Each structure stands twice: as structure tokens, then as C-alpha cells.
Amino acid sequence: MLKNITTRSRALTRTHRIAIAGVATLGAASVAFTVVPSGNTTTSEAAAVSAPVAYKSEQLKGLKSGVTEQLAASDSLQRQAAEAKKKAEAAAKAKADAAAKKKAAAAAAAKKKAEQARKAKEAASRSAKRAQVKAVATKTYANNLDGWIKESLDIMKSKGIPGSYNGLHRNILRESSGNPNAINNWDINAINGIPSKGLLQVIPPTFKTYHVPGTSWNIYDPVANITAAANYAADRYGSMDNVNGAY
């Protein structure tokens, strides 16, 4: 009798193991074992253990619900990751666009500055060329009484000395008859050793005092003589136009 009990005990133990493994594989099981005091399992208990495990609908619903929640959580995490990636890409693009705009603005400013410098250089070059042309196109005068008077008038105008063509011409004809080398050796000035000389018969001290810069220091030079005499007449009479006799 003991031999049979021992054999059944070993058979039931294998059944228990199979049942426990099945429950672990399915992920949820509830198995109750009743052990007799002698440590052996009864035949009815072995039959109950070896029977298929039945799950209630509530348990299946719970499992399905858990899986659904896990899937939903996974989808949410994926969406969040995608949104974060999208935001990061947008931020990187905005930064790159800002850098590109800044670089373009700097390039435009540099180009504008270079253009301004080029225009300034061209303007300076044109100004220098105009000055050269002006210098080349210096006004010329005839080497005669008409030319001497006209040149003297231009110098007088630049220096603010009054006088007219007619006033100069009239006094020149009276004083020297238009001879730039004329000299008076008989009047009081000649007696005093300072004879009057040139077109407008100017004595050396007067010529030296009223000499106009830019003209010759030669008292017989027609333009220098006329201009110095006109300067003296302007100081003493207001203008050579006001002189109608010896002065």
C-alpha cells in the first residue's frame, strides 16, 4: 500500500510542475494546493490541478486594458519625441536663417561702403582733372596796350581794386602815350632823384608800397605798373576812374 502512495505522489508532483509552468507562461493564474498531513496529494486534487485553467472575462478585460494603455503611452511618447525633434529642427533653422541674414546684411554694408569709397575716389579724380584742365586753359592776353589793360583789370578784380577799362586807358594815354618804357626826367620827382616811370608814370617808392602780389617787381612791366598805379589811385582817390590829371 505504501508503494502505490509513493508512486502517485511522484506523478502528482510532475503535474504540479506542469500546471505552475503553464500559469507562468500565461502571466496570470491562481492555483490552490491542498496538502494532506502526510505530505501526499489526493487523487481528486491531482485531477483538479491537471484540469485546464479557466480565466474569467474580467481578467481578460483587465489584461487587454493594460496592453491598450501601454500602447497608448508608447504612442504618446513617440508623438512627444517627434514634436521635440520638430521644434529642435525649427529652432536650428531659425538660427541658421538669422545668421544668413546677418551675414547678408554685413556683406551689403561692406559693398555699400566700397561703392561710396569708389565714388569718392572717382569724384576726387574728376576734380583733379578739372583743376588740370583749368590750369592748362589759363587765360591769355595780347602783348599790347589792350592786352595789358585787360590783364590788369582781371588782377584788380581778384584783389578787389576798383577801376574800369576806360579810366585806365584814358590816364595811360595822358601819362605815357602807351609807352611802357616812358620816364620823366624833368619834373620835381626827377629833380628829387625819383623820376616817374612806366605807363602810368609811377615813382619807385609808390610802386614799392602799392605793388600787387602776383605781378612783376619790375616797374617798367606794363601789367605790374598799371596794377600798382590803380591800387594807389584807389587808396587816394577811390578809383583810377576819378583821376583826370597829374596824380
Side-chain angles (χ1 to χ4, degrees), residues 73-87:
S74 178
D75 290 342
S76 177
L77 290 174
Q78 290 179 356
R79 285 195 299 272
Q80 291 177 4
E83 290 175 359
K85 182 179 179 181
K86 186 176 180 181
K87 289 181 180 179

Side-chain angles (χ1 to χ4, degrees), residues 104-119:
K111 183 178 180 181
K112 183 177 180 181
K113 186 176 181 180
E115 182 66 14
Q116 291 175 342
R118 183 186 66 78
K119 288 182 178 179

